[in-house]
Amino acid sequence: MWNAAQYLKFADERSRPFVDLVSHVHCQDPQVIADLGCGTGSLTRMLHERWPEARVTGVDNSPEMLEHAFRLTIPGRLEFAQADIATWFSEAPLDLIVSNAALQWIHDHAAVLTRWSKMLSPAGTLAVQMPNRFQTPSQTAIEEVTADSRWATKLHKVGLHRDSVKPLSWYVHLLHDLGFEVNAWETSYLHVLTGENPVLDWLKGTALRPLLERLHEEERTEFLSAVGSRLKTAYPARGGITVFPMPRVFFVASRLEPEDD
Ligand SMILES: C[S@@+](CC[C@H](N)C(=O)[O-])C[C@H]1O[C@@H](n2cnc3c(N)ncnc32)[C@H](O)[C@@H]1O
């Protein structure tokens, strides 16, 4: 279960990669757009604002996130649907698929990206961004605490892990083989956060969610305290701020023009 309020605590920081991703989309006047894993819909609305003539559909499987999104509906222009983005199918060919910070939650990236590519119109574009903090101290902290014998069995293979995002070149090869020209890049955002334990707060809105769901109330408190103290050591506050580096991968794939004879 997603908690929209917890997720939205860092709405500004989380929106910047989306804006950076969309700034690299150069498709001409897309008519039909899908935002896959749209969450609360506030970024989907930015797609509507960027291309007001298009029909934009945000798709997500979380009722908690969609509760916010549905309030933004503009019939025929900005709509939302509850579905699994790994199996959702668009009746109309899509000129643009955007997926921001969602694909890492899905297992078979080859199958899903192949499926999404088949829903695109002949000149369609696919734009994806994923957080990639799986080799950072935040992941080490989660893994160390998850391995604790108190809950290791319950938490085995739950949630995100080191292979949730593959090396960026893997996506480039996959999409190239599917007939796309790919613009791919990775960068690290240094989020400057305030508060008692802001990295713990950040992760409670995303990566820790499925783990906490498996634990009882008392276990949760102990688990959060153990992860929290490791995070405070890994990301120490100084002068009232905590710097949280967040690596992210991006790729924008457009269909290769057929070569002239
Ligand atoms: C980190 S949030 C990102 C939300 C939004 N794209 C943004 O950038 O603010 C990830 C979203 O992906 C959705 N999600 C994860 N797996 C999904 C699936 N299999 N089908 C549909 N939505 C999924 C979650 O419900 C959540 O709203």
Side-chain angles (χ1 to χ4, degrees):
M1 189 189 286
W2 284 78
N3 180 334
Q6 184 72 31
Y7 184 77
L8 288 170
K9 275 189 187 172
F10 298 99
D12 285 350
E13 287 83 359
R14 295 192 199 279
S15 66
R16 187 170 150 202
F18 178 89
V19 172
D20 291 347
L21 175 70
V22 173
S23 75
H24 286 81
V25 170
H26 302 299
C27 54
Q28 297 293 320
D29 299 327
Q31 298 298 302
V32 190
I33 301 176
D35 180 8
L36 302 184
C38 65
T40 60
S42 49
L43 301 180
T44 321
R45 181 168 58 184
M46 288 169 74
L47 295 177
H48 162 68
E49 286 160 359
R50 168 78 179 76
W51 290 287
E53 300 305 318
R55 232 175 62 224
V56 181
T57 305
V59 182
D60 204 287
N61 64 356
S62 160
E64 291 76 22
M65 295 297 243
L66 283 172
E67 194 190 318
H68 288 251
F70 284 132
R71 291 184 214 141
L72 306 176
T73 300
I74 304 169
R77 284 283 170 263
L78 177 61
E79 296 182 329
F80 296 91
Q82 185 174 353
D84 183 342
I85 56 174
T87 52
W88 177 75
F89 180 75
S90 171
E91 299 282 324
L94 297 165
D95 300 314
L96 172 61
I97 294 177
V98 176
S99 183
N100 189 60
L103 184 59
Q104 75 276 11
W105 291 104
I106 293 174
H107 296 297
D108 190 344
H109 286 189
V112 171
L113 288 170
T114 303
R115 183 182 172 83
W116 291 358
S117 74
K118 289 185 179 154
M119 290 196 283
L120 286 173
S121 60
T125 298
L126 169 66
V128 173
Q129 182 276 126
M130 286 180 279
N132 192 22
R133 43 148 218 89
F134 305 105
Q135 320 295 329
T136 70
S138 64
Q139 184 65 16
T140 309
I142 295 173
E143 284 172 2
E144 281 176 5
V145 178
T146 304
D148 188 305
S149 58
R150 282 175 286 178
W151 37 63
T153 314
K154 271 188 190 178
L155 301 184
H156 184 60
K157 293 201 166 165
V158 174
L160 300 173
H161 49 82
R162 283 177 188 257
D163 298 324
S164 293
V165 174
K166 297 182 185 304
L168 189 49
S169 56
W170 183 90
Y171 296 98
V172 176
H173 279 297
L174 175 81
L175 290 162
H176 183 264
D177 291 348
L178 289 169
F180 290 91
E181 189 169 38
V182 188
N183 174 16
W185 68 100
E186 34 198 333
T187 194
S188 192
Y189 293 79
L190 268 69
H191 296 304
V192 179
L193 308 177
T194 55
E196 174 55 23
N197 196 340
V199 178
L200 179 66
D201 232 14
W202 179 293
L203 295 173
K204 271 161 62 181
T206 53
L208 293 177
R209 213 182 27 79
L211 299 164
L212 294 172
E213 266 170 35
R214 301 286 174 113
L215 301 175
H216 296 306
E217 193 66 41
E218 317 83 71
E219 288 176 321
R220 254 182 232 169
T221 309
E222 287 178 42
F223 181 86
L224 282 174
S225 150
V227 177
S229 69
R230 279 172 173 76
L231 292 174
K232 270 189 146 180
T233 307
Y235 304 96
R238 238 184 62 202
I241 59 162
T242 301
V243 177
F244 181 33
M246 173 65 78
R248 294 181 183 272
V249 298
F250 299 76
F251 47 87
V252 176
S254 330
R255 288 258 184 235
L256 279 170
E257 294 289 332
E259 281 179 27
D260 292 337
D261 290 334

